[in-house]
Amino acid sequence: MQAIIIGTGIGGLTAALTLAQRNIDVTLYESVREIRPLGVGINLLPHSVKALTELGLQPELAAVGIETAELAYYNKYGQQIWQEARGIAAGYRWPQYSIHRGELQMILYRAAVAKLGAGRIHLGHHLVRAEQHGEHVVAHFTDAAGTPLPDARADLLIAADGIHSAVRRQFYPDEGLPKFSGRLLWRAVTRAAPFLTGRTMIMAGHQDQKFVCYPISRLAAEQGASLINWIAELRIAGDTPPRSDWNKRVEKSVFAPRFDSWRFDWLDIPALIAGAEAVFEFPMVDRDPLPRWSHGRITLLGDAAHPMYPIGSNGASQAILDARALADCLAAGDGVEQALAAYESQRLPPTASIVMLNRQNGPEQVMQLAEERAPQGFAHIHDVIPAAELEQITGRYKVV
C-alpha cells in the first residue's frame, strides 16, 4: 500500500511514522522549502504521549520538554480558582509534556528522515489538486512560482495541510474563512526565573482577557532558569483577519497596557511580557465540524479535519491520535476506502465534540464563572463556586 501525505506538521509527520511502522509505504509533500523549528509552546497530553512513546520518541521528548506537574486557574487578581495534577502526577501512565512546537516538529522530522529516507520527503511542493482515478489518487503540484512539478500517484492521500487545507477546500469550496472567536492571541517565549513549582501551567483572567503561561525547556530548567511560553488574549471587535495578518510580529504596546496591573505575588506578568524578544499575533479561530472527512481514497487529518480553539491543550494531541487511528484502520487490511471510512467514524465524533466544547471555553469555564460571580475577587473560591461545580466542569472535559 502506498500513501501520500500532504503536510509535514505534527499531524503529517506523526502519520508518516505511524503508517511506516505498520509497513505502509509513505511519501510526504510540503509547500515550504525548508523545515525549521518555528512556533512557540504547545502541550502534549498523556494519550498523545502514549502514541509517540509507541514510536520510540519519549526519550527525546523527556530530554527537551518539561513534564508538566499541575495546571492551575486564577482570576485577574491572581487568586486561585482551581488546581489539579497533570500527567504522571495525576495517575496517568504517561506524562504530559510542555514543549516548543518547533522542537517537537524537528524530533518528528528527524525520525521521519531516519525511518523513510530523505528522498521520501519532498519540500517546495504546493498541492494544486488531488484527483481519483479508479484505485489510485493523483496529486498535482507546483513550486512557489506556480511552475508545474511532477505528479504523484498512490493508493490513498492524507491531507494534513492545516486549517487552510487545499484538500478540504477542494471538497468544501464554499466553506469560507475560518470562524473567528472575536479574540486575538499574542504569543511569545521569555527566559525568566521559574514560577510556582517550575513545572506549572497557569491560566489567569476570563474569556475576554486571559493570560496563559508554562515552562517548555528542560535545558533552561537545568540551568536554573525557565523558558516560559506565554499567550496574552483579548476580545476585540471585527471579523476574521485576513490570512496575511496571521502570525505577524507586533509591538507589545498593542496589548501590553491591558495587563499592566497583573502583578501577582507569584508571577509578574508585565515583566514577562517585557522580557520577550518577539511577539506574534494570531486570531483564535476554528471551523464548523464537517459531515465527513473521507472521500473515496482521500481523507483529512489534524487541523485540516478539525481545527479547534487552543483551549484544553488539545490541538496537537488530537492530530497525533488521528494518525494512530488512521494507521490502525489501514493496517486492518479491509481495503483503503473501508479503512478511511472506519477512521472517520472513529475520530470525527469525538473531535467534533471537542470543537464545540472549546467554543464554550471547555474547562476554562471556571474562570468565567469566577469573573461573573466575583468580579472584585473573593476570600475563598468555594464561597463563589462550590467544589462540586468546579469538579463537574473540569471532569466533563476530561471525559471528552
Side-chain angles (χ1 to χ4, degrees), residues 219-278:
L219 177 61
E222 290 173 347
Q223 296 171 345
S226 188
L227 187 65
I228 300 171
N229 175 80
W230 57 262
I231 305 110
E233 177 184 323
L234 292 173
R235 182 173 295 280
I236 65 158
D239 301 319
T240 306
R243 184 177 175 182
S244 58
D245 285 348
W246 293 30
N247 198 28
K248 67 180 180 182
R249 186 168 176 170
V250 299
E251 295 298 322
K252 299 164 191 170
S253 59
V254 171
F255 66 94
R258 294 281 298 273
F259 293 89
D260 279 349
S261 65
W262 289 37
R263 290 183 169 87
F264 311 146
D265 292 343
W266 47 273
L267 183 66
D268 187 333
I269 289 176
L272 201 59
I273 294 173
E277 290 186 6

Side-chain angles (χ1 to χ4, degrees), residues 58-75:
Q58 188 177 352
E60 286 190 79
L61 299 177
V64 173
I66 291 289
E67 187 175 323
T68 312
E70 59 272 322
L71 166 65
Y73 299 99
Y74 295 84
N75 66 5

Side-chain angles (χ1 to χ4, degrees), residues 125-201:
H125 279 64
H126 173 72
L127 181 74
V128 177
R129 68 185 184 281
E131 298 175 344
Q132 301 189 59
H133 300 284
E135 295 184 351
H136 294 92
V137 177
V138 177
H140 301 275
F141 300 98
T142 67
D143 63 14
T147 303
L149 295 171
D151 298 339
R153 180 184 177 94
D155 299 302
L156 70 145
L157 183 145
I158 301 160
D161 50 345
I163 191 170
H164 302 293
S165 170
V167 178
R168 178 173 175 141
R169 187 167 59 251
Q170 183 175 318
F171 289 119
Y172 299 95
D174 300 322
E175 189 174 26
L177 295 172
K179 293 188 175 294
F180 183 42
S181 65
R183 290 174 274 180
L184 283 182
L185 309 175
W186 292 273
R187 307 193 66 168
V189 293
T190 301
R191 190 176 180 89
F195 65 92
L196 298 177
T197 69
R199 295 168 56 200
T200 307
M201 178 179 185

Side-chain angles (χ1 to χ4, degrees), residues 41-46 49 58-70 86-88 94-101 103-104 107 192 194-195 197-201 213-229:
I42 61 170
N43 273 269
L44 295 173
L45 301 184
V49 173
Q58 188 177 352
E60 286 190 79
L61 299 177
V64 173
I66 291 289
E67 187 175 323
T68 312
E70 59 272 322
R86 304 295 281 185
I88 297 293
W94 293 272
Q96 172 175 330
Y97 287 114
S98 297
I99 189 170
H100 193 287
R101 184 199 178 281
E103 295 276 9
L104 173 61
I107 289 171
F195 65 92
T197 69
R199 295 168 56 200
T200 307
M201 178 179 185
C213 67
Y214 48 89
I216 59 172
S217 171
R218 180 171 178 174
L219 177 61
E222 290 173 347
Q223 296 171 345
S226 188
L227 187 65
I228 300 171
N229 175 80

